[in-house]
Amino acid sequence: MTSVHMDQISWVEYQQRVEQGAVVFLPCGATEQHGPHLPLGTDALLSTALSADVAAQIGGIVAPALAYGYKSQPKCGGGQHFCGTTSLDGATLIALVQDAVREFARHGVKRLVLVLGHYENTWFVTEGIQLALRELGPGCELEVMRLEHWDFCREDTLDDIFPDGFPGFALEHAAVIETSLMLHYLPHLVSLDKIPNDPPADFPPYDMYPTRTEWVPPSGVLSSARGSTAEKGARMADDIATGITAAVRHEFKLEA
Amino acid sequence: MTSVHMDQISWVEYQQRVEQGAVVFLPCGATEQHGPHLPLGTDALLSTALSADVAAQIGGIVAPALAYGYKSQPKCGGGQHFCGTTSLDGATLIALVQDAVREFARHGVKRLVLVLGHYENTWFVTEGIQLALRELGPGCELEVMRLEHWDFCREDTLDDIFPDGFPGFALEHAAVIETSLMLHYLPHLVSLDKIPNDPPADFPPYDMYPTRTEWVPPSGVLSSARGSTAEKGARMADDIATGITAAVRHEFKLEA
Amino acid sequence: MTSVHMDQISWVEYQQRVEQGAVVFLPCGATEQHGPHLPLGTDALLSTALSADVAAQIGGIVAPALAYGYKSQPKCGGGQHFCGTTSLDGATLIALVQDAVREFARHGVKRLVLVLGHYENTWFVTEGIQLALRELGPGCELEVMRLEHWDFCREDTLDDIFPDGFPGFALEHAAVIETSLMLHYLPHLVSLDKIPNDPPADFPPYDMYPTRTEWVPPSGVLSSARGSTAEKGARMADDIATGITAAVRHEFKLEA
Amino acid sequence: MTSVHMDQISWVEYQQRVEQGAVVFLPCGATEQHGPHLPLGTDALLSTALSADVAAQIGGIVAPALAYGYKSQPKCGGGQHFCGTTSLDGATLIALVQDAVREFARHGVKRLVLVLGHYENTWFVTEGIQLALRELGPGCELEVMRLEHWDFCREDTLDDIFPDGFPGFALEHAAVIETSLMLHYLPHLVSLDKIPNDPPADFPPYDMYPTRTEWVPPSGVLSSARGSTAEKGARMADDIATGITAAVRHEFKLEA
Amino acid sequence: MTSVHMDQISWVEYQQRVEQGAVVFLPCGATEQHGPHLPLGTDALLSTALSADVAAQIGGIVAPALAYGYKSQPKCGGGQHFCGTTSLDGATLIALVQDAVREFARHGVKRLVLVLGHYENTWFVTEGIQLALRELGPGCELEVMRLEHWDFCREDTLDDIFPDGFPGFALEHAAVIETSLMLHYLPHLVSLDKIPNDPPADFPPYDMYPTRTEWVPPSGVLSSARGSTAEKGARMADDIATGITAAVRHEFKLEA
Amino acid sequence: MTSVHMDQISWVEYQQRVEQGAVVFLPCGATEQHGPHLPLGTDALLSTALSADVAAQIGGIVAPALAYGYKSQPKCGGGQHFCGTTSLDGATLIALVQDAVREFARHGVKRLVLVLGHYENTWFVTEGIQLALRELGPGCELEVMRLEHWDFCREDTLDDIFPDGFPGFALEHAAVIETSLMLHYLPHLVSLDKIPNDPPADFPPYDMYPTRTEWVPPSGVLSSARGSTAEKGARMADDIATGITAAVRHEFKLEA
C-alpha cells in the first residue's frame, strides 16, 4: 500500500499517478499563534489532514504543505506581535505559489487544488496562481481550484455547533472550529485545559497600523474555544472533505 | 512531556523556551527525485530528523522545514527534467530564508541553525541569511549557523562505509548515505528492492544548459545505493548529530 | 477659499496644513467594469468623493486617488476577462502604496487614511502599508488607518434599503449601493436606463483558474441595481462619511 | 453625447470604441511642487487636458492619469526635499506602465499614446513600455507612442513668448509654459499673485547626492513665471494639441 | 609607481588610499554599436580613460567600469535592433549601481564620482544612487557626484570643432566627439576608413515602440564622424578632465 | 588583424563573426581582495586572459567581463569584511547574467561560454542562465556552457605543483594557482615580495553569520602563495586553455 503524501512516494510512483490524471492538492498553511491550547502549526496540519481525506477518496496526491504563510492580521489571526508567528512577505508567498504551480504544470499535472488553512494567504495565493497561468500561457492545460477549507462547513452543521449564532469565520481563529478539527485529527496536540475564557474580540470596521495590540486578547484566541469536541470536529471534517470531493469531481469532471 | 517541533507546541510554550535561550533549527529541504527507492521528501525528512536529534540533546526547537528548495542540478540532484522534482527560483528561496530569519529575530531568538539537506540550496540560503542580517542592522544579536548535514560524517566512518574509496558527496545523491539514513530514521519509506544498479554517473568539469539529460542515469541515482543499511545510517546519524551538537555548543557558548 | 484636494493646492499650502496636523486621505480605486450603467472609474470616483466629504469636516486633505487597482475577481468585481478593466499586478500595487506612505511620512504627515473603493485592493494595500512602516522603523510617528468605505453603512440603513435581506457586500458590485452612491455624487455618469435585470450571480465556495467566465453575468453586474436612488445614496454617503469622521477623530485623537 | 474620459464611460462603450480602433491616451503626471502659485497636481492636470483636446479631435479615449511620477530632480523639478512632492521609485513606475500597457493590449487596443507631463518620468516610462512589449511578444499588434507634451511647442511660438531667448525646457518648471497652460485650462487653480520673482536657477554640469538643496530656489520655481497669460497658454495648447494630433494621425495611419 | 586603476592594485593599497580620502571614480559605460569605425566598448573605454586622467591629477582611484548599460535608444544610441548592442534592463542597472555605492560606503569612501559615457544610463544610475543613499541612511558621510562627461566640453571648443553649429549631444553618437576622443586615447581601435557618410538622422519629437528602425541610419552613426582628429580629441579630453577635476575639487573641498 | 575582444571590434565585425558561428565567452569575475600581492581585479583579469587564449584558438569572441561578482565568503574568498572587496547581491548578479544571455541570443549567438574566475559566482550565474533560457523558450537555439576555469587543471599538473598534496581549490584563493597564473599573464601586477607567509586557514564544517572574521588570515590569503612561478602559471594556463578548447569543440560540435 502506498501513501497519498507526495513526500512519501518516489518520483516514479508520482509520475505514474500524475500520468493517470491524479489531482494534486497543495495545502497552504502558516506558522501562527493559535492560542495556548493549539500548536503553532495548526493551519498547515489541518489543511494537510483535510487534503489527505479528500485525496484518499479520489486517488489524489497531497504535496508538502507551505508551512509559512502571509502575515497574521489582528482581526483574523491575532497579528504579527505574537511570538512564534512566523510569516512571509506578500511577494515571497506569491513567488512560492507561482513556482509551485509552474512546476506542477511541468510535471504534467492537469488538476491542482490549493487548500488554504490560513485566511491571510488568500490574495497572495490568488496572485501566485494568476501569475503562473499568465506565464504558462494560453496553451497550458492546467486548471487550478483555490479554496478555504472552512467554507465547506454545511449551514446546518454550523447551526448545530453554534446554537447561539455563528460568530463568523473571522473570529473563529483558534476557536471552536479549529479546536474541534484538531481534536478530531490530532488530539494529542490539543491542551483543552489551557483554553482561555476570554470574551470574543470586538473589532471596529477599519484597521490601524502599527497594530493596536490592545484590540486583540492577550491569549490570541479571538472567540472562545470552549465547547470544542472531537465529535464536532469529525462532523465538520466530514462536511469539508465531502464538499471538496464533490467540488473537485464536478469541476475536474472526474467519475465518482 | 513536550515536542521539539515548533509546529506541535503552542506559542506560549515556544515563547518560554525562546526566552530561555533555546536554539532554533530550520531544516532546508527539497521536493526532489531520489531514485525509485527513496521518497520525494527525503531532503526535508532527513534534515528534520537530524535537527530533532540535535534539538533533543540541547533543548532546541525545530521549525517547520522548508519543503521546497532550489532547482535540482544534474551533478548533484539529477536535474530539473525529472517528474516530481518541484523547485523554487533562487529569488524565492532567498526571500523565504530572509523572511524566516527576520521573524526569528523578532521572536527574540539569538541562536539559529539552518540545517541543509539539499546541496543546491546552499548559496541561496546564504544570501537570504546575509540579506536578513543586513536588514536587521548591526544592533541585532542574532547569530546564525548554516551547515550541510553530511559534512559532519567522520572520516573514519566514511572509510568504513566506502572501503573502495568515498566517491564524494556530490555523487551521493540517493545513494548509500541518504538511503542508509532513511533506513535508520524512516525505513517504511524505503523500497530496497527498487534500488537500481546503474554504474556511477560521470560528469565533465563543466555544465551545459539546456541540461544534457543523457549525462544523468534515467533512475536519477548518481551512484549505487547498494549496500545501504540501517546500521550504517545509525552510525552516520550519530556522527552528524554529535558533530552538530558540539558545533552548536561551541559557537553559541552553551554549557554541555 | 481653498480645496480639500491635494492636487489643487500648492505645496506651500499643503505644507502649512500638514504642519497643523491635517489628516491625509488616499483613495484607492480601480479602473474596472461596473456594468453598462456605471462608469469604469466608479471605485476611484466614489472613494474620492467620500474622502472629500470627510476631509471637509475635519480639515483634511485628499491625495490623488490610485486610479488603478488589483485584478478584478469574478466574485467581487466580475473578473479580468472584461474589456476596460485595467488592473495592476499585486507587486505593483504593494509598491505604489509603500512609496506613497514613505513620502507622506517624509512630508511630516502623522495621520494617514487609505480609503478603499475596490475590494480586491485590500490585501495588497495592507502589505504596502506594513512594508512602509517596517522600512520607516520604530521611530516613525505616522499612524495609518485602512478601511473599505461600505463597511461604514449602518445596519438600519441596509435593513431599509434591502428589505428582502442584504445580499452581502461581495455581490454589491455595480449594484444598489454603488449605483445609489453614484446617483448621489455624480448622477450625470449613471445611465439608469441601461441597468440590466439579471438575477444575482451565484458562486460556489471556491474559485477556479483560468476564470470560469460563465459564472459571471455577461453584463458584469453581480446583483441587480434596480431600485437605486440618489436618496439611498445620500443616506449611505452620510453613514459612511459620518462613520469615517468619527473613527478618524477617535483613533487620531482629534477634537470634534 | 459622451465623454473622452475612460473613467466616465461604461465598459460597454469603451469596448465599442476600442473595437472601432480608438486611440487610447495615458497621461503620465506627478504630484510635485510647482511653486507657490501652481497646484501640486499640475503635471497630471495638464497632460490630461492636452490629451483630452487631442482625443476630442480624433475620437480617442483618455485613460485615468498616473497621478504619481518618478522622483523630482533639482534641475528639472526642484528635488525631493520639497514637502508635497510625492514620488515613486523607478521600479514602481516601470511596473505601473508595464501593467497598464499589458492591460490595454488585452482590451484589443492597437494604438496607445503615453503623454508625459513630468520630465523625470521619461526613462522609467520608456522601460515600462519596452518590458511590456517584450512580454507581449512579437505577435502583439499594439503600437505605442511616447511623448513629452512641451516638445510640440512650435519654434515661432517659443520665439514670441520668450523674446529674450528660451531658457530651455529644463528650467521651465513651474515657469511661463506651465503657468500659461494652467491659466488656459484651469485658471481657478493659479494664484498669479503668489508668483515669486527669483532669478532663474543656475546649475553646474553635474549632479550631487544628497541633493544640494541650496542650488534650488526656496520657492521651487526654476525660472520666473512672470509674464504668463492665458493667451500664451492657449497658443501653446493649440501647438501641442495640433502637433500631437498630426503625429498620431501620421504614425497610426488614421484618416484626417 | 602604482596604478590609478582599482583592479590593478591590492586591497592593502586601496585601503590606504581610501583612508587618505581618495576620490573613487566609477565609469558607467555600455556595450553598444558605435558605427563601423568605432568599437563596441567605446562608452566604457572613454569614461575609463577620462576618469583616469582626472584621477591622476588628484590622487583618485578608478573602479572597474560597468561595461554594460541601459538599452540603447534610437535617438541617442541607435536602438536595440543592432547586433552587438548588449544591454541591461533598467532594474538590473539600478541594482548594480545601488550595490556598488553600498560597497564603496562600506569601504569608507566619502567621495564617489559616477562618470557616465552612455547617455541612456542617466536615470537608472540616478535611481541606483538615490536608493543606496536612502538605504545607507542619514548618518552616511558618502557624497556622490554624477556626470555625463561630454557636458564638460567648453563652449568655445564646440564652436571651433563645429563651425557650422553644434548638432547637440544627442546626435553625437559615434560622431565627431566620440571619434576624436577615441583617436586621442585609443587610435588603434578606430577605423577612419570605415566612417560612413550618411546625412545626420532626423527624429520627430516623440518615440515609437516597437522601434521604427527606418528612422536610424543602417550604419548606426547619427551624424557624420568626418572631420574627427586626434587633436580635436585631445582638446576635448583636456576640457573634460580639467572641468571634472575642478568640479570634484570644488564640491569635495579638496585642496588644489 | 583584429581582436578577440568584443569591446575592441565594431558591431559590423561582431555581427559577421556571430553569423559565422563564433563562440562567445563571457568572463565572470569579481572585485575582491587577493592578498597584499595580487590586485583586486584578479578574477576578472584571469578569466578574461584564459578566455582570450581559448578564443584565439577557435575564432571566438570575448565579451567584456562582469567585473563585479557575488559576495566574498570567508572559506573561498576571505569574506565581505575586507576593504576593496566590492560585491553584488545575488539578485543583481542573476539579473546581469539573465540580461546578457538574452541579448546574446538576440544577436544570433548559438554558443555561449560563461568562464567563471570567482567561485562565489557559481550558483547565481547558474540561475541567471536558467532564467534566461526559460524566458527565451523551447524554440531558442542557444546552448550555454558554464565552467570554473581551475577545474581544467590536469591532475598530474596539480601533483607536480603541490608535491605535498593539493589543499583543494577552496583554499587556493590568492595562493599558488592564482599567483602563478597572474605571473604568467600579468606579472607587472604581482608583488612577490608582499606574499604573506601565514599558515593555511582552517575552517570548521559550517559557516557563521555575522562572519567570524578571526577565522580568516588578516592578509586575506587562505593558503601560502610561496612557490608561485610564471612557469607553473604557464603550465596551468595551458591545461586550462587546452581543456576548455577541447570541451567547447566537443559540446558545440566544432571542427578542430
Side-chain angles (χ1 to χ4, degrees), chain D residues 104-120:
Chain D
F104 290 123
R106 178 175 61 75
H107 300 166
V109 173
K110 300 277 188 303
R111 299 146 167 170
L112 178 64
V113 184
L114 284 85
V115 178
L116 275 69
H118 175 64
Y119 181 70
E120 287 89 337

Side-chain angles (χ1 to χ4, degrees), chain D residues 66-137:
Chain D
L66 304 186
Y68 300 92
Y70 183 66
K71 291 165 196 159
S72 181
Q73 297 299 309
K75 288 182 182 175
C76 38
Q80 282 294 111
H81 55 291
F82 282 92
C83 187
T85 295
T86 310
S87 308
L88 304 180
D89 279 3
T92 310
L93 182 54
I94 292 169
L96 204 45
V97 170
Q98 182 173 2
D99 287 357
V101 175
R102 184 196 302 114
E103 287 286 74
F104 290 123
R106 178 175 61 75
H107 300 166
V109 173
K110 300 277 188 303
R111 299 146 167 170
L112 178 64
V113 184
L114 284 85
V115 178
L116 275 69
H118 175 64
Y119 181 70
E120 287 89 337
N121 285 347
T122 304
W123 287 87
F124 304 97
V125 167
T126 294
E127 174 71 341
I129 296 168
Q130 290 179 122
L131 293 183
L133 293 186
R134 185 166 84 199
E135 179 191 340
L136 292 167

Side-chain angles (χ1 to χ4, degrees), chain C residues 193-236:
Chain C
D193 57 316
K194 293 192 180 146
I195 292 180
N197 204 6
D198 300 324
D202 184 29
F203 295 110
Y206 53 82
D207 293 279
M208 295 297 300
Y209 311 86
T211 298
R212 297 281 163 97
T213 55
E214 66 272 21
W215 291 1
V216 181
S219 68
V221 181
L222 301 187
S223 66
S224 181
R226 305 250 157 199
S228 302
T229 66
E231 290 67 34
K232 291 178 184 173
R235 181 165 169 192
M236 288 187 287

